[in-house]
Amino acid sequence: MNEKVKVSLQERSYEIHIRRGLLNEAGAKIREVSEAKKILLLSVPKVYQKYGRMVLTGFSKNFDQVDFFLIQDGEVHKNERTLFSVIKKLRELEFQRDSCVVSLGGGVVGDLGGLAASLYMRGIDFVQIPTTLLSQVDASIGGKTAIDFQGIKNLVGSFYQPKRVLIDPDVLGTLDDRQMRTGLAEIIKCGVIRDPKLFEALEKNIDLFFSRDPVFLTSLIYRSALIKAQIISEDEREGGKRMWLNYGHTLGHAIESYYGFQRFTHGEAIAYGMWAAGLISQGMGLCTSKTTQRQYDLLKAVGLLNPAPKFEKERVYQKMFLDKKARSGQIQFVLTRKIGLVTIQKNVEKSLIFSALNRLQVEMTQSSIN
Ligand SMILES: NC(=O)c1ccc[n+]([C@@H]2O[C@H](COP(=O)([O-])OP(=O)(O)OC[C@H]3O[C@@H](n4cnc5c(N)ncnc54)[C@H](O)[C@@H]3O)[C@@H](O)[C@H]2O)c1
Ligand SMILES: [Zn+2]
């Protein structure tokens, strides 16, 4: 399967290529869209050890000067210090405007590489080679770049579109199950907001996901990338439709933050958020209980919505207002009408949110040990 998805943004348009074994051709595929003489591969040790050499070999055939730079792994390093270490490296290597940065790794490497490329000399070429499921279906697409600052996630960033996104599903072979599930949460989200067939495919064939069937995985990545690309093409900067992509994220972010970003991965947190959004939608009469139940059943079947310690509802509620997406003190909820169709709602009664939080509390604390 050789899939291409286009993100249409006039002169900033680009393609997302999805194919098994694509890592071997990364150099040639980047050469097609960049005139750069110098190229820097940015990665983390764990990913570089597995895939770095292969990518660099292809670079050497296509670029005059090839270098790599490794940053420390993990969200805690998505900060100004790492950002400026990358910029310093670009300076040391005497990168000019005709140079290119390539991020090989998960969303952390992608966000950092994109921001560094956007800042250095007011912008040099940038390419994404995402290696986690989450970054393949979400973080690498759409041009958002950022670092965390003073404890606030993604506070400092820019919109900077890559020249190309290269997705090789085979790299998922080394990703652990937890990281696979976190990416799957975003795929389920894509199904709920825009693609009922994708949702159904997951309901029917979830065992193919767990057995990591390469054809099934490639099709999931393709369909999710397509949905994100279409939405970005229609609304680059989150004025309207791009907000759909925040389905489950208002509460998901609050939960992530409440538990100090340690307990849950992003996908695990938004899984709670999606179910709660379903409950709120149902409470407002926007969707049937069957729609909410289908989301619950699928999330549960894939091993999300697991038990966790009790949370303080009022504090979680307050955290939703701190979400940078809460405009002028109002929470904007993306709510379900049916699988494949969502709507944005501004005024959601506190009682409805609390009743969803109550259900969540019961679900989360069931069989929890602490
Ligand atoms: N820019 C956006 O639009 C956007 C969207 C969503 C998330 N994000 C950001 O993405 C980040 C989360 O991304 P993530 O979940 O990919 O986390 P991550 O980048 O921290 O990667 C998770 C872990 O997987 C490892 N890893 C990566 N690829 C691997 C592979 N093929 N085999 C084995 N291990 C591998 C990494 O080294 C890391 O330890 C957050 O910082 C988030 O803010 C950005
Ligand atoms: Zn997300």
Side-chain angles (χ1 to χ4, degrees):
M1 210 167 5
N2 181 16
E3 303 287 9
K4 272 186 211 166
V5 171
K6 181 148 189 203
V7 179
S8 302
L9 295 166
Q10 290 96 28
E11 73 286 353
R12 286 169 297 115
S13 298
Y14 57 97
E15 289 173 347
I16 302 161
H17 290 217
I18 306 158
R19 179 150 42 91
R20 298 182 63 196
L22 197 57
L23 228 54
N24 277 310
E25 295 163 46
K29 288 278 163 206
I30 296 170
R31 178 42 90 210
E32 287 172 7
V33 289
S34 174
E35 313 244 293
K37 296 191 175 56
K38 300 180 181 184
I39 190 161
L40 180 79
L41 184 69
L42 183 70
S43 195
V44 289
K46 201 201 290 182
V47 176
Y48 181 80
Q49 276 151 22
K50 294 177 175 70
Y51 307 108
R53 288 264 148 245
M54 192 192 295
V55 174
L56 286 181
T57 307
F59 283 7
S60 312
K61 292 182 192 143
N62 290 280
F63 296 88
D64 297 344
Q65 183 185 319
V66 177
D67 290 282
F68 70 93
F69 186 60
L70 302 185
I71 55 174
Q72 281 177 285
D73 204 350
E75 183 75 26
V76 287
H77 299 290
K78 204 176 100 170
N79 57 23
E80 70 274 24
R81 197 198 294 186
T82 313
L83 172 70
F84 278 94
S85 73
V86 178
I87 291 175
K88 208 167 144 226
K89 186 72 190 173
L90 296 174
R91 174 76 200 116
E92 272 167 26
L93 294 168
E94 297 182 351
F95 268 42
Q96 306 291 329
R97 292 294 292 271
D98 60 349
S99 306
C100 182
V101 172
V102 180
S103 283
L104 173 75
V108 168
V109 179
D111 277 11
L112 268 163
L115 184 55
S118 84
L119 292 172
Y120 189 75
M121 300 186 91
R122 299 200 182 90
I124 59 175
D125 287 356
F126 175 56
V127 170
Q128 292 262 24
I129 310 183
T131 62
T132 60
L133 186 58
L134 180 111
S135 58
Q136 293 187 339
V137 299
D138 190 359
S140 65
I141 306 164
K144 279 190 184 176
T145 82
I147 52 166
D148 307 332
F149 190 66
Q150 297 194 339
I152 302 175
K153 271 202 73 162
N154 299 326
L155 186 71
V156 177
S158 63
F159 280 92
Y160 195 65
Q161 301 295 343
K163 290 276 171 204
R164 191 162 266 186
V165 180
L166 300 174
I167 301 179
D168 184 345
D170 283 352
V171 300
L172 300 176
T174 52
L175 199 67
D176 64 40
D177 288 343
R178 195 170 181 203
Q179 293 294 342
M180 286 295 284
R181 266 199 304 274
T182 206
L184 182 57
E186 298 284 3
I187 297 175
I188 294 173
K189 176 195 80 179
C190 288
V192 177
I193 65 176
R194 194 131 164 173
D195 190 348
K197 290 219 165 71
L198 171 61
F199 194 92
E200 269 169 46
L202 287 166
E203 287 178 317
K204 286 193 188 124
N205 303 308
I206 202 59
D207 44 328
L208 292 179
F209 177 83
F210 288 119
S211 63
R212 303 204 184 188
D213 180 273
V215 177
F216 189 61
L217 281 184
T218 306
S219 81
L220 294 180
I221 297 165
Y222 169 71
R223 292 170 81 144
S224 308
L226 184 65
I227 289 167
K228 186 152 184 193
Q230 283 172 344
I231 292 175
I232 301 298
S233 301
E234 291 166 38
D235 170 24
E236 187 183 8
R237 291 191 173 232
E238 217 165 280
K241 283 184 182 167
R242 190 162 181 166
M243 272 196 304
W244 294 353
L245 294 164
N246 294 333
Y247 181 67
H249 283 56
T250 307
L251 181 60
H253 282 152
I255 290 198
E256 256 184 308
S257 155
Y258 178 87
Y259 288 97
F261 295 99
Q262 299 294 325
R263 177 112 200 171
F264 298 118
T265 64
H266 177 69
E268 287 164 352
I270 66 154
Y272 295 117
M274 288 195 276
W275 183 47
L279 290 169
I280 294 169
S281 314
Q282 194 186 322
M284 291 178 77
L286 292 170
C287 73
T288 61
S289 59
K290 187 167 174 238
T291 300
T292 314
Q293 190 64 38
R294 279 179 70 193
Q295 289 183 72
Y296 175 86
D297 290 344
L298 181 58
L299 292 166
K300 204 72 188 158
V302 303
L304 292 161
L305 302 181
N306 289 320
K310 219 172 155 138
F311 59 82
E312 292 163 62
K313 283 174 281 232
E314 183 64 36
R315 271 189 59 210
V316 169
Y317 179 78
Q318 289 306 330
K319 276 189 181 292
M320 287 195 233
F321 286 94
L322 298 177
D323 187 317
K324 63 180 182 313
K325 278 146 198 148
R327 308 232 194 272
S328 58
Q330 274 189 337
I331 304 175
Q332 310 219 49
F333 265 102
V334 186
L335 297 176
T336 342
R337 283 198 172 274
K338 58 182 182 184
I339 301 297
L341 187 65
V342 285
T343 174
I344 294 163
Q345 209 78 28
K346 283 197 186 88
N347 299 310
V348 177
E349 281 174 32
K350 186 173 179 179
S351 61
L352 271 175
I353 299 174
F354 260 72
S355 124
L357 287 176
N358 273 328
R359 284 283 299 276
L360 210 62
Q361 179 88 274
V362 173
E363 179 70 24
M364 285 168 87
T365 45
Q366 248 171 26
S367 69
S368 168
I369 17 143
N370 48 354

